[in-house]
Amino acid sequence: MDVIQFIQSQIGASPKNIANTIKLLDEDCTIPFISRYRKDQTGDLDEVVIEQIAKRKKQFEEIVKRKEAILKSIEEQQALTPELSNKIQKSFDLQELEDYYLPFKKKKKTRADVARENGLEPLAKIIMAQNSDDVDFIASRYLNANVKNEDEALQGARDIIAEWINENTFVRKSLRRIFQRTANISTKVIKSKENEEDAQKFTQYFDWSEHLLKAPAHRLLAMLRAEKEGFIRIKIEVNIDDAISNIENSIIKRNNDCTSHLKLAIEDCYKRLLAPTISNETLQEVKTKADSSSIQVFAANLSQLLLAPPLGEKRILAIDPGYRSGCKVVCLDEKGDLLYNETIFPHAPQHEEAMAMKKIRSMVNAYKIDAISIGNGTASRETEFFIKKIAFDKPVQVFVVSEAGASVYSASKIAREEFPNFDVTVRGSISIGRRLADPLAELVKIDPKSIGVGQYQHDVDQTKLKEELDTTVIRCVNSVGININTASKSLLSYVSGIGEKLAENIVQYRSENGPFQNRADLKKVPRLGEKAFQQGAAFIRIKNANNPLDSSAVHPEAYGIVEKIAKDLKISVNELIGNKEKTVLIKPEQYVTEEIGILGLRDIIKELEKPGLDPRKAAKVFEFDPKVKSINDLKPGMILPGIVNNITNFGCFVDIGIKESGLVHISQLKAGFVSDVNQVVKLHQHVEVKVTDVDEQRKRIQLSMIL
């Protein structure tokens, strides 16, 4: 099996498209570039499929590398037979490969090793052959200084047989199937920890049992966390009689004097060797699936958050609300640069409301503020009510934005580099303002795990989580495109083909030479070569450039084609852009080249119709119910406006304007069955919910979207 066959067996794409995609990946082309500008080579595969091809290609290479290591190790032991070599060569299942390698792995001295040293392997072979009717008599021949009697000889032989059964590939595969189909997961509390405060959040699992395959991802991860923190013990079990019977059917071929010894060896093998290993393998397999499911939820949430509607280039007054320490206020210009900062004290204990109002009015007028951004943390609602009391001289939109991760950003190296002369409180307020203007540009500066849109993010495979979240950020950044003359180093580093070092060089070049005038200027940036230019140029935008295509998603390699189209239509490129009357006249088949085919040309025509179109929607003002200020104000049956602020596999959490978010269980999202929460709601979606249950003591709110 070659890499193309391996990938095709798992992904529904043609061999030709897979081969072309692999060729482009091997040429160091990025996934955003391939999916957008090499559609004709890939057969219009989208980013997700190309990402899958890249992952499967890496997986194939890892399997090949592991096979080579296994073959080399067995060969060095002079134990590699043609039959075993052929089995290993044909296998592309890592678990199966490890089974083949198991007898040859270097391991600690086992009971079977001791028995072999005592000369009992021939006796084990006789029992395993199942041809003898007087095993006790045969065992008497193997007594020596270390083997005092027949019982010891037979026990040693059974130890060797148990190891053989444990290393039997067929037995292991068969047992895995039983565990995968029928395993049960059960938990028991550790009595000494039962009354500890931290254990109380896991009370559900103090005595729990369910079919392992039916355990949803969030429940499995919760059990594993409880075990990790030392509050419970987990067992993965199948019916022992079924498991042992299955092994006996594979091993025992006839009924004679050997049978009882084989049964004892099988039972010992299962309890001591197979069950602990296979149960652990099965748990890890289910954990991997739970990780994958949770990581996908996290990635989908992150994508929605990053692509949240931007307010755009407006002057913003941002407030990080607070009580005793006051509300930190900053004024930002259209580019997000800090104009002014101040602290006001409209709330308890100071109650300087009149003075605070006067200051806010003055700042709004002095800095020509268009919108106000309020963080949704402590004192958020009170601050929103306070702001809405102010009579401004002009209409000013008021937004409440999520401040998740703002404190992480404010203490970060990036924030210190951006604002070395201001403390964390000012930096946090700046972040709250900027994430209203452009959530994508601001949130890329924060570790995605700190944004808090997922479930059990600290319990899943951290390497896989980071890979998936990085991929998500890259996908989002490149789907929108970035203004190279205003983008931060963090944002630039996610652009196709750029990376951290080149992003630094671009910012340095920009500060020394002023704004970029055209895309070709990119080539003047130190160490930014032809390959990086090819991969990244089309994802950057240069506003008011001499060439209008520099502000579009048309790749520079296609500028010549656009110029030819304009010439054929007897107009300039400037007149062609945004001119639907002219673009409908274009016949793409007339402009096909070796590099750019019909699919690429159709994209170019779409882009000419609406150049540089931002795929994100416009930001909308939202208002919570003014009568609800705390959990004490909630009553079952109330209908409230809310914003979806987190999505999990079991439902979504909705911000209804108080400290605690409410849970809409998956069964309450809409009438009828729902298999995927993301099909019903999106992050930051404005929704109406009904309060169904309020537990003030545990601070839990149950909501329903079935009104």
Side-chain angles (χ1 to χ4, degrees):
M1 186 186 288
D2 63 16
V3 64
I4 295 168
Q5 291 169 323
F6 177 80
I7 294 170
Q8 198 190 13
S9 69
Q10 300 171 69
I11 292 173
S14 75
K16 181 187 173 185
N17 292 341
I18 292 171
N20 287 342
T21 303
I22 289 172
K23 184 173 182 289
L24 290 163
L25 289 167
D26 286 341
E27 290 170 359
D28 292 328
C29 293
T30 66
I31 291 170
F33 174 79
I34 295 169
S35 65
R36 179 70 196 252
Y37 298 106
R38 290 296 180 263
K39 287 184 176 180
D40 294 282
Q41 286 93 318
T42 68
D44 201 13
L45 296 180
D46 65 24
E47 274 189 333
V48 176
V49 177
I50 294 168
E51 283 162 12
Q52 285 297 314
I53 290 172
K55 283 178 185 173
R56 301 301 181 197
K57 176 177 177 284
K58 185 181 175 185
Q59 188 184 358
F60 178 85
E61 288 163 355
E62 285 170 355
I63 290 171
V64 169
K65 192 175 177 182
R66 183 61 184 148
K67 280 208 276 194
E68 288 170 356
I70 288 171
L71 286 165
K72 185 182 176 188
S73 175
I74 300 173
E75 197 166 21
E76 284 171 354
Q77 295 174 51
Q78 298 182 335
L80 187 63
T81 64
E83 183 189 7
L84 180 57
S85 176
N86 189 44
K87 281 181 180 177
I88 292 169
Q89 295 283 8
K90 283 185 175 177
S91 177
F92 282 86
D93 181 329
L94 272 175
Q95 213 165 44
E96 185 177 62
L97 287 169
E98 294 305 329
D99 282 350
Y100 289 141
Y101 185 44
L102 186 60
F104 309 98
K105 267 185 179 173
K106 288 177 182 174
K107 46 188 178 274
K108 290 178 185 175
K109 198 171 192 178
T110 64
R111 281 163 46 173
D113 289 333
V114 174
R116 284 191 191 93
E117 287 171 5
N118 291 335
L120 296 172
E121 189 164 27
L123 176 59
K125 286 179 178 177
I126 290 167
I127 296 171
M128 198 69 174
Q130 304 172 48
N131 289 325
S132 174
D133 283 323
D134 194 352
V135 175
D136 286 351
F137 174 71
I138 295 169
S140 65
R141 300 177 190 166
Y142 294 92
L143 306 185
N144 54 46
N146 296 320
V147 183
K148 301 288 191 279
N149 53 50
E150 287 83 352
D151 286 345
E152 286 187 13
L154 290 165
Q155 179 59 59
R158 290 197 295 268
D159 288 342
I160 295 170
I161 292 168
E163 190 171 272
W164 287 341
I165 295 167
N166 181 53
E167 293 169 353
N168 184 304
T169 307
F170 179 82
V171 167
R172 292 177 78 87
K173 271 188 182 176
S174 180
L175 198 58
R176 276 193 196 104
R177 282 195 292 270
I178 291 173
F179 268 84
Q180 287 160 356
R181 287 198 308 265
T182 69
N184 208 60
I185 183 168
S186 60
T187 61
K188 290 285 181 190
V189 68
I190 294 170
K191 289 294 181 186
S192 60
K193 301 287 187 80
E194 190 171 4
N195 297 316
E196 287 188 17
E197 188 180 338
D198 288 344
Q200 300 317 301
K201 57 190 172 190
F202 300 116
T203 51
Q204 179 182 351
Y205 308 113
F206 282 5
D207 186 10
W208 182 263
S209 179
E210 68 178 309
H211 193 292
L212 181 60
L213 280 185
K214 291 181 180 174
H218 65 273
R219 202 147 66 218
L220 181 72
L221 293 171
M223 285 186 254
L224 289 167
R225 182 189 288 180
E227 183 186 49
K228 187 178 178 182
E229 292 182 13
F231 300 121
I232 64 169
R233 287 193 179 90
I234 291 177
K235 274 188 182 179
I236 307 295
E237 295 173 304
V238 297
N239 184 294
I240 190 168
D241 294 334
D242 291 346
I244 289 174
S245 175
N246 183 274
I247 300 169
E248 286 178 352
N249 291 338
S250 302
I251 300 299
I252 299 173
K253 304 303 179 190
R254 52 177 65 91
N255 189 9
N256 58 23
D257 202 30
C258 299
T259 306
S260 60
H261 295 288
L262 286 174
K263 284 187 173 183
L264 287 169
I266 288 167
E267 186 178 350
D268 171 51
C269 172
Y270 177 76
K271 291 179 178 176
R272 182 168 57 89
L273 302 172
L274 283 170
T277 305
I278 305 295
S279 64
N280 188 52
E281 272 183 17
T282 307
L283 180 59
Q284 288 310 309
E285 194 176 301
V286 177
K287 162 76 161 60
T288 300
K289 286 178 184 171
D291 282 3
S292 178
S293 169
S294 300
I295 288 168
Q296 287 309 312
V297 168
F298 205 123
N301 288 355
L302 177 63
S303 179
Q304 291 168 30
L305 193 65
L306 293 174
L307 296 178
L311 186 65
E313 294 184 359
K314 305 282 185 185
R315 292 200 158 212
I316 294 170
L317 182 147
I319 306 174
D320 185 359
Y323 290 115
R324 188 174 297 280
S325 58
C327 297
K328 309 298 184 293
V329 183
V330 297
C331 296
L332 308 175
D333 68 13
E334 295 86 348
K335 291 182 179 178
D337 291 333
L338 179 64
L339 299 170
Y340 180 74
N341 74 91
E342 169 81 272
T343 302
I344 57 172
F345 299 89
H347 311 310
Q350 294 89 347
H351 293 294
E352 296 173 1
E353 191 173 277
M355 184 183 291
M357 280 186 175
K358 186 178 176 184
K359 285 182 177 179
I360 293 289
R361 271 178 57 84
S362 174
M363 284 185 266
V364 166
N365 291 330
Y367 297 104
K368 300 185 173 77
I369 297 299
D370 301 303
I372 294 174
S373 176
I374 303 169
N376 69 343
T378 304
S380 174
R381 291 302 300 282
E382 292 83 351
T383 304
E384 184 188 359
F385 296 143
F386 155 71
I387 290 293
K388 286 182 176 176
K389 285 189 213 170
I390 303 172
F392 295 112
D393 296 339
K394 63 169 189 173
V396 178
Q397 290 181 300
V398 179
F399 297 84
V400 176
V401 303
S402 168
E403 59 181 52
S407 59
V408 174
Y409 161 76
S410 62
S412 69
K413 182 172 179 278
I414 294 170
R416 290 196 300 274
E417 287 173 355
E418 284 191 296
F419 302 101
N421 301 320
F422 295 96
D423 68 14
V424 291
T425 60
V426 175
R427 295 177 200 147
S429 302
I430 292 168
S431 182
I432 288 167
R434 285 178 165 183
R435 60 179 63 188
L436 171 62
D438 191 341
L440 179 62
E442 191 60 21
L443 292 173
V444 293
K445 301 172 187 174
I446 303 167
D447 179 353
K449 285 190 291 184
S450 301
I451 299 172
V453 283
Q455 55 177 348
Y456 297 99
Q457 60 260 38
H458 302 294
D459 300 293
V460 301
D461 185 308
Q462 295 301 293
T463 303
K464 287 180 182 173
L465 176 64
K466 186 179 187 312
E467 283 176 4
E468 191 62 40
L469 297 186
D470 283 348
T471 299
T472 300
V473 178
I474 290 166
R475 192 189 302 150
C476 292
V477 169
N478 290 286
S479 71
V480 172
I482 60 109
N483 182 339
I484 197 168
N485 287 323
T486 59
S488 67
K489 183 175 75 176
S490 304
L491 188 59
L492 279 164
S493 69
Y494 286 106
V495 173
S496 166
I498 300 299
E500 206 170 314
K501 187 59 190 166
L502 283 180
E504 206 171 289
N505 293 355
I506 288 169
V507 171
Q508 182 72 23
Y509 181 89
R510 192 173 68 194
S511 66
E512 291 173 0
N513 299 279
F516 287 86
Q517 300 301 312
N518 52 60
R519 280 172 170 166
D521 282 351
L522 267 173
K523 294 180 181 179
K524 298 175 185 175
V525 173
R527 304 189 71 174
L528 199 153
E530 284 297 329
K531 192 70 185 181
F533 181 82
Q534 179 204 45
Q535 299 298 304
F539 298 102
I540 66 148
R541 307 282 182 268
I542 298 175
K543 293 193 174 180
N544 306 314
N546 296 331
N547 187 337
L549 295 174
D550 282 352
S551 188
S552 75
V554 175
H555 197 286
E557 67 188 7
Y559 283 10
I561 291 175
V562 176
E563 287 160 7
K564 188 174 188 312
I565 291 170
K567 188 179 176 185
D568 291 349
L569 292 170
K570 297 182 171 54
I571 55 174
S572 69
V573 170
N574 262 323
E575 291 169 315
L576 175 60
I577 289 177
N579 188 339
K580 198 161 185 182
E581 285 181 16
K582 294 295 182 182
T583 55
V584 295
L585 301 175
I586 301 169
K587 294 177 180 175
E589 60 274 6
Q590 294 179 358
Y591 301 97
V592 171
T593 66
E594 197 174 317
E595 196 82 286
I596 302 170
I598 199 79
L599 295 174
L601 282 158
R602 284 176 188 157
D603 274 357
I604 290 168
I605 294 166
K606 274 186 203 169
E607 185 62 22
L608 290 173
E609 286 176 6
K610 295 179 179 177
L613 179 69
D614 192 324
R616 298 171 293 178
K617 294 176 182 176
K620 287 182 184 176
V621 173
F622 175 87
E623 290 189 10
F624 292 112
D625 189 319
K627 299 189 293 294
V628 176
K629 298 176 184 176
S630 76
I631 194 169
N632 305 321
D633 298 325
L634 296 178
K635 298 286 181 290
M638 291 176 85
I639 308 292
L640 301 170
I643 300 174
V644 177
N645 62 1
N646 201 357
I647 294 174
T648 71
N649 280 330
F650 55 85
C652 68
F653 288 90
V654 176
D655 181 357
I656 50 175
I658 60 175
K659 185 179 179 183
E660 300 81 12
S661 292
L663 171 65
V664 181
H665 188 266
I666 190 168
S667 63
Q668 295 298 309
L669 287 170
K670 68 172 188 176
F673 177 72
V674 175
S675 61
D676 182 0
V677 180
N678 275 291
Q679 289 178 352
V680 183
V681 291
K682 300 295 178 193
L683 212 59
H684 285 186
Q685 182 178 329
H686 297 178
V687 294
E688 270 203 335
V689 292
K690 179 167 70 179
V691 179
T692 58
D693 188 60
V694 183
D695 184 339
E696 290 185 29
Q697 190 176 355
R698 297 169 75 194
K699 305 288 185 188
R700 289 188 178 177
I701 305 159
Q702 298 290 332
L703 305 172
S704 174
M705 284 171 55
I706 305 170
L707 306 180

